[in-house]
Amino acid sequence: MSRKYTDILQLVVGIVVLILLNYLGSFFFSRIDLTSDKRYSLSEVSLEQAQELDDFVYVRVYLDGDLPADYKKLREATQELLDEFRAYTGDNLQYEFIDPSANPNEEERERVYNKLVKEGLKPTTLRKESVEEASQKVIFAGAMVTYKDRTLPWQLLRTQLGVPEPLMINNSIQQLEYEFSSILRNLMTVNKKRVAILQGHGELDEASMADIKKSLLEFYAVEEVTLNHQLRALEGYDAVIVAGPDSAFDEKNKFILDQFVMYGGKALWLVEPVSITMDSLQSASTTLALPRDLNLDDQFFRYGVRINRDLVMDMQSMPIPVVTGQIGNQPRQELFPWFYFPMIIPGKQHAIVKNLDAIKSEFISTIDFVGKDTAIKKTVLLTSSDYSKVVSTPNRVSLNILRMEPDPRQFNLGPQPLAVLVEGKFTSNFKNRLVDKIAQNQGIAFRESSYPTKQIFVADADIIRNRVNRNTNEFYALGFDRYTRRIYANKDFIMNCMNYLLDDSGLLNVRAKEFKMRLLDRPRIEKQKFSWQLVNTVVPVLIILLYGLISYYWRRRKYTRR
């Protein structure tokens, strides 16, 4: 009886202890991530966002149904991320997974597909071919995020040219937190930072920048600004974009831009130091590439950068159509790589370009770092491929080079810097150049050294230019190539640049998060297949039998002694 009461007492005490532990645990919250790369841990920035939500966030994820194995990993990773956010937001985050292909009616499916495309999601078509049949499946690896009265698309799959699908999906999984946190920040932002798009020096017109402006407006307040020698023209703006000027800056406007930088303003420069366009090759097979003087060299030199008046030729380049003959009365066209249009594949690990797809460029130049100012940190963002060369200007550019097979020995200069980031404290271009009356004028408030700030220099304005149909004034997506019908990552690059320049929360550092991809060794699997099958099937049975024998002899010995 005493043993019975002791067992009952132990049970009651155990239940009471569990209740007390659960009650005390309700006052404390903690989660432990035991993975080596901390893939289930949110960054501090994401945690702050999750805890600042004051209303419901509803996420509709269109990645469900019968999916290939790799896409199932992306779906599971998305659900794990949303669960992690929900652990800190409580009921303020809700989500559901939807299969857009679930409806058996083909017309209804097409209607759903068109609706998702209009909302901003990009479809992925998977093709499966066999001897018996060939089929294809449309997958929308994306989601729509709604907060209060606003909804934004969230693209889960980030495509990358030339990257194997498993690695591409792993890279997409790495960026899930950054993409979702960026969308939340956009939805939660009330007072947007202001961006000025400079006009007045022959910069790209509004139609040529329509697509990037549309994307920037989701995050920032964007306006066109003309300096016109007005000292306060950029007052109140956080960043300025100077895209494709074709006429020289005078000293007054240079001074305004210089002082904007000195007072902590951020700048994205997309400057073309060479005058040449494909339009000049439409009527003739040869044209001249001429150096262009924008009167900015001395200012850039002070900032630690020199944009050279040359052109990069790269064997890794975009194709253009060339007439190679006649088919009846119609000209026959074929696509040939045009070495003056480098296809830039980011290989750097900086957060701006990490895991980006290829970027298209046209007649791009090289950039050098100059000076030894230790207060400035300099980083190369984009380079040409290993098989590139540089031609100085003036120079003749001819389509006739497409008729000859390129000699790889001529393309031997290796990667050339095409876009750079400089950050730190800059020296004014007008230091020791102004008379005392101007330098000491309180109304001008001249600064000869900047607050800590950042600038990005790109030696090609076509990277930010979208194609425009001048007859209808319709614009195409930024990065769209009309010959290959592919959209390159130009917009992602520009958006990442602006996010990095204007991000004070450190959100872009989340892009640097990296998950180790532990792929199976296929050759080793094929070679040792039988051995591993034997280990996985026979060894567990042997372990159980061994345990049973040991247990049998131990019990026999124990009870034999009694």
Side-chain angles (χ1 to χ4, degrees):
M1 291 296 292
S2 61
R3 184 171 180 178
K4 178 180 178 182
Y5 289 128
T6 301
D7 292 342
I8 294 173
L9 181 61
Q10 288 177 346
L11 177 63
V12 172
V13 170
I15 293 173
V16 172
V17 169
L18 286 174
I19 293 173
L20 286 174
L21 287 174
N22 278 276
Y23 177 73
L24 293 174
S26 64
F27 296 98
F28 303 97
F29 176 76
S30 180
R31 295 169 71 85
I32 301 174
D33 187 352
L34 299 178
T35 57
S36 60
D37 45 20
K38 300 300 177 186
R39 66 174 57 207
Y40 302 114
S41 299
L42 296 180
S43 65
E44 291 296 328
V45 175
S46 299
L47 289 176
E48 290 176 7
Q49 283 184 327
Q51 294 164 356
E52 288 174 0
L53 286 175
D54 58 357
D55 205 340
F56 288 101
V57 174
Y58 186 65
V59 185
R60 289 171 287 135
V61 185
Y62 294 95
L63 187 62
D64 204 10
D66 183 20
L67 301 172
D70 289 325
Y71 287 87
K72 285 182 180 178
K73 291 180 183 178
L74 181 60
R75 182 202 181 282
E76 292 167 0
T78 304
Q79 185 171 359
E80 288 165 356
L81 176 70
L82 294 174
D83 286 338
E84 191 70 18
F85 265 92
R86 190 161 61 176
Y88 294 95
T89 62
D91 294 334
N92 279 345
L93 190 147
Q94 301 293 330
Y95 67 83
E96 68 170 325
F97 282 81
I98 302 169
D99 181 7
S101 304
N103 197 315
N105 187 295
E106 186 174 350
E107 291 184 2
E108 287 297 316
R109 287 202 306 272
E110 288 295 327
R111 187 182 63 80
V112 173
Y113 295 162
N114 292 332
K115 178 176 178 293
L116 294 179
V117 170
K118 288 180 180 178
E119 289 179 341
L121 297 183
K122 300 176 184 177
T124 300
T125 303
L126 302 180
R127 290 179 173 83
K128 184 185 294 185
E129 295 184 3
S130 62
V131 178
E132 294 82 10
E133 61 176 353
S135 62
Q136 64 180 26
K137 180 179 179 63
V138 177
I139 293 178
F140 281 86
M144 300 302 298
V145 184
T146 302
Y147 178 70
K148 294 183 178 178
D149 58 344
R150 298 182 62 199
T151 300
L152 288 177
W154 174 20
Q155 197 68 35
L156 305 178
L157 180 64
R158 312 299 296 182
T159 57
Q160 292 176 268
L161 185 66
V163 175
E165 194 170 61
L167 183 57
M168 182 175 66
I169 290 178
N170 184 71
N171 292 339
S172 300
I173 291 172
Q174 290 179 178
Q175 301 307 314
L176 286 177
E177 182 184 348
Y178 167 73
E179 298 288 348
F180 186 58
S181 296
S182 296
I183 290 171
L184 284 184
R185 186 190 67 170
N186 185 9
L187 293 171
M188 295 167 64
T189 299
V190 178
N191 298 318
K192 295 183 177 181
K193 293 186 177 181
R194 301 179 67 196
V195 176
I197 298 178
L198 202 67
Q199 296 293 326
H201 305 86
E203 290 88 353
L204 301 183
D205 60 16
E206 186 175 357
S208 298
M209 294 188 65
D211 193 35
I212 191 61
K213 183 179 179 181
K214 177 183 176 183
S215 298
L216 287 170
L217 282 169
E218 295 179 0
F219 294 86
Y220 310 108
V222 184
E223 301 172 23
E224 280 81 19
V225 174
T226 303
L227 298 181
N228 283 335
H229 303 158
Q230 301 298 311
L231 190 62
R232 308 298 177 194
L234 294 175
E235 189 172 326
Y237 290 95
D238 299 284
V240 62
I241 298 176
V242 184
D246 63 9
S247 59
F249 286 71
D250 61 32
E251 295 301 310
K252 290 182 179 179
N253 284 341
K254 285 170 62 177
F255 179 81
I256 296 169
L257 286 167
D258 177 82
Q259 289 302 290
F260 174 74
V261 173
M262 293 304 109
Y263 276 90
K266 315 301 191 299
L268 173 59
W269 303 87
L270 298 108
V271 177
E272 296 182 337
V274 177
S275 176
I276 182 173
T277 64
M278 283 300 292
D279 293 339
S280 56
L281 289 170
Q282 296 296 327
S283 56
S285 61
T286 303
T287 187
L288 279 178
L290 300 172
R292 173 185 284 146
D293 185 11
L294 299 174
N295 194 30
L296 290 171
D297 293 351
D298 57 339
Q299 195 144 318
F300 291 171
F301 195 93
R302 278 282 193 170
Y303 301 154
V305 169
R306 179 176 62 222
I307 300 182
N308 302 307
R309 294 182 178 90
D310 55 25
L311 290 175
V312 175
M313 297 180 68
D314 198 331
M315 293 187 68
Q316 180 180 277
S317 53
M318 306 292 301
I320 61 171
V322 176
V323 176
T324 58
Q326 292 285 126
I327 302 179
N329 296 326
Q330 299 296 322
R332 181 178 63 188
Q333 291 186 335
E334 295 183 44
L335 292 178
F336 289 90
W338 181 230
F339 305 132
Y340 290 99
F341 284 9
M343 181 170 58
I344 307 167
I345 298 181
K348 303 294 180 181
Q349 290 301 305
H350 192 277
I352 292 176
V353 295
K354 185 175 182 180
N355 295 333
L356 272 189
D357 201 356
I359 297 168
K360 69 186 293 282
S361 67
E362 300 180 9
F363 298 115
I364 195 167
S365 304
T366 63
I367 302 178
D368 291 333
F369 290 129
V370 294
K372 297 181 179 180
D373 191 344
T374 57
I376 301 176
K377 180 183 177 183
K378 305 171 183 177
T379 307
V380 175
L381 297 178
L382 298 177
T383 65
S384 60
S385 76
D386 293 335
Y387 305 98
S388 59
K389 71 175 184 177
V390 176
V391 294
S392 58
T393 58
N395 199 356
R396 188 179 68 172
V397 176
S398 175
L399 291 173
N400 292 329
I401 64 172
L402 298 176
R403 300 178 183 275
M404 299 175 289
E405 196 70 27
D407 185 358
R409 292 175 298 179
Q410 295 182 2
F411 295 80
N412 59 358
L413 287 185
Q416 299 296 307
L418 308 174
V420 300
L421 162 71
V422 286
E423 46 193 335
K425 295 182 178 180
F426 299 92
T427 300
S428 171
N429 184 44
F430 293 86
K431 181 180 179 180
N432 301 327
R433 290 178 55 188
L434 302 177
V435 297
D436 292 342
K437 183 179 179 180
I438 296 177
Q440 297 173 8
N441 188 310
Q442 296 298 319
I444 295 177
F446 171 70
R447 283 189 63 88
E448 62 180 30
S449 181
S450 78
Y451 294 113
T453 187
K454 310 168 187 174
Q455 299 185 76
I456 292 175
F457 295 83
V458 184
D460 179 25
D462 292 300
I463 284 180
I464 200 173
R465 185 204 308 263
N466 57 254
R467 182 169 171 263
V468 181
N469 186 334
R470 295 298 176 180
N471 295 325
T472 62
N473 213 31
E474 294 178 324
F475 64 89
Y476 295 83
L478 177 57
F480 173 75
D481 181 64
R482 55 179 170 169
Y483 304 125
T484 61
R485 314 299 294 179
R486 175 183 173 84
I487 297 178
Y488 290 85
N490 294 45
K491 185 190 294 187
D492 291 335
F493 172 68
I494 298 297
M495 292 302 298
N496 285 350
C497 286
M498 294 307 300
N499 289 342
Y500 185 83
L501 292 175
L502 293 172
D503 178 34
D504 294 328
S505 65
L507 179 60
L508 202 63
N509 290 330
V510 180
R511 278 194 103 246
K513 199 170 185 178
E514 187 171 2
F515 299 155
K516 294 179 181 177
M517 192 173 185
R518 298 173 175 87
L519 296 174
L520 295 175
D521 189 339
R522 296 291 179 185
R524 187 180 176 188
I525 289 175
E526 294 296 327
K527 186 177 180 180
Q528 303 177 0
K529 181 178 179 181
F530 178 76
S531 300
W532 286 110
Q533 287 177 336
L534 194 66
V535 167
N536 285 308
T537 55
V538 177
V539 171
V541 176
L542 293 176
I543 291 174
I544 293 173
L545 290 175
L546 182 62
Y547 172 78
L549 289 173
I550 293 173
S551 176
Y552 169 76
Y553 283 111
W554 180 79
R555 289 173 59 85
R556 180 179 177 184
R557 183 175 181 183
K558 177 181 177 181
Y559 291 107
T560 301
R561 289 180 179 178
R562 293 185 179 182

